[in-house]
Amino acid sequence: MIPICSHRWYKFLCVFARTVLRILHPVIRVEGVENLPEGAAVLCANHSGILDPVWIIVWSRLERHPRIMAKKELFRKKLLAYFFYKIGAFPVDRQGSDIAAIKTAFHTLKDDNKLLIFPEGTRIRKGKVPQAHSGATLIASRMHAPVVPIYLSAKRFLFSPVRIVIGKPYHLEFAGPKPTAEELQDRADTLMEQIYDMGEKK
């Protein structure tokens, strides 16, 4: 496993990326940064572009390097895989139960760090109906970590305004001590509805 970049490089890359994004998109509205909790949390966002993790990490101004759960298809080419590993991403097999990815997610939260997940599992194009996966709610429930909903505007043409909304963290609640698969899926669906609702509010 390739180690992630050092804290110094992480801070430098954040400043560099923030500068470039500001040039490409002069109007950037970021709301709710104060909602980000200290310590472990599962950050969940809608997904429409390959640079979504960069936007969220850079503009949430996280002090510690978060980890990012990403589909394994992004790691097929060695150069891209090296880049993704360095920025804190790790692969997950969306077609089955990926024990290694789940363990990495658990260790991330156990180390009091933040985990970024896109519950839709893939980029959602215009006209497609988003379908949430329950992996994020499973991980959050097992580790008793708060969920933080994040909305990122989908259409990001050159020089177009961009909006990021960070919602308030909350802990998932279930009927019993161990959630059922149906409950996990229900909470995942509700989470995505909440995220898109945040985007509709001005």
Side-chain angles (χ1 to χ4, degrees):
M1 180 69 70
I2 300 170
I4 63 176
C5 64
S6 66
H7 180 71
R8 179 178 297 179
W9 269 105
Y10 165 67
K11 300 299 289 185
F12 170 78
L13 290 173
C14 282
V15 172
F16 175 77
R18 193 177 301 124
T19 302
V20 172
L21 293 177
R22 177 66 79 179
I23 293 172
L24 299 179
H25 301 272
V27 180
I28 301 175
R29 291 176 53 196
V30 184
E31 307 167 29
V33 173
E34 69 278 1
N35 290 329
L36 287 169
E38 296 289 338
V42 181
L43 312 181
C44 298
N46 59 303
H47 196 19
S48 63
I50 194 169
L51 290 180
D52 288 349
V54 177
W55 277 98
I56 293 171
I57 292 172
V58 164
W59 291 101
S60 60
R61 299 178 181 273
L62 298 174
E63 285 299 319
R64 293 184 61 187
H65 202 317
R67 301 302 304 273
I68 310 160
M69 182 178 282
K71 60 183 181 181
K72 68 175 184 179
E73 289 81 2
L74 295 175
F75 295 79
R76 286 176 177 171
K77 294 184 178 180
K78 290 185 177 180
L79 185 60
L80 280 177
Y82 179 83
F83 170 75
F84 286 127
Y85 278 124
K86 293 300 286 184
I87 65 171
F90 60 95
V92 59
D93 184 353
R94 299 171 297 166
Q95 305 304 317
S97 179
D98 192 332
I99 302 301
I102 295 296
K103 285 184 177 180
T104 299
F106 285 170
H107 283 303
T108 297
L109 296 171
K110 187 176 180 180
D111 290 341
D112 214 26
N113 208 349
K114 290 179 175 58
L115 174 69
L116 174 59
I117 299 180
F118 298 95
E120 292 162 320
T122 188
R123 286 171 281 171
I124 302 299
R125 302 300 185 185
K126 184 178 180 180
K128 290 185 66 176
V129 178
Q131 175 63 52
H133 295 272
S134 60
T137 52
L138 170 65
I139 293 168
S141 64
R142 289 282 183 87
M143 299 303 294
H144 305 287
V147 170
V148 181
I150 300 176
Y151 171 80
L152 175 61
S153 54
K155 295 180 180 179
R156 297 193 293 278
F157 303 112
L158 190 62
F159 302 127
S160 63
V162 175
R163 183 167 176 248
I164 302 172
V165 184
I166 302 172
K168 293 183 178 181
Y170 65 94
H171 285 84
L172 299 171
E173 296 183 355
F174 304 96
K178 186 176 181 180
T180 64
E182 291 76 15
E183 285 181 311
L184 290 172
Q185 184 61 56
D186 175 74
R187 303 306 185 274
D189 293 336
T190 300
L191 172 61
M192 290 312 305
E193 290 176 5
Q194 179 183 1
I195 289 171
Y196 282 105
D197 284 345
M198 292 193 310
E200 293 178 358
K201 296 177 181 178
K202 301 298 183 180

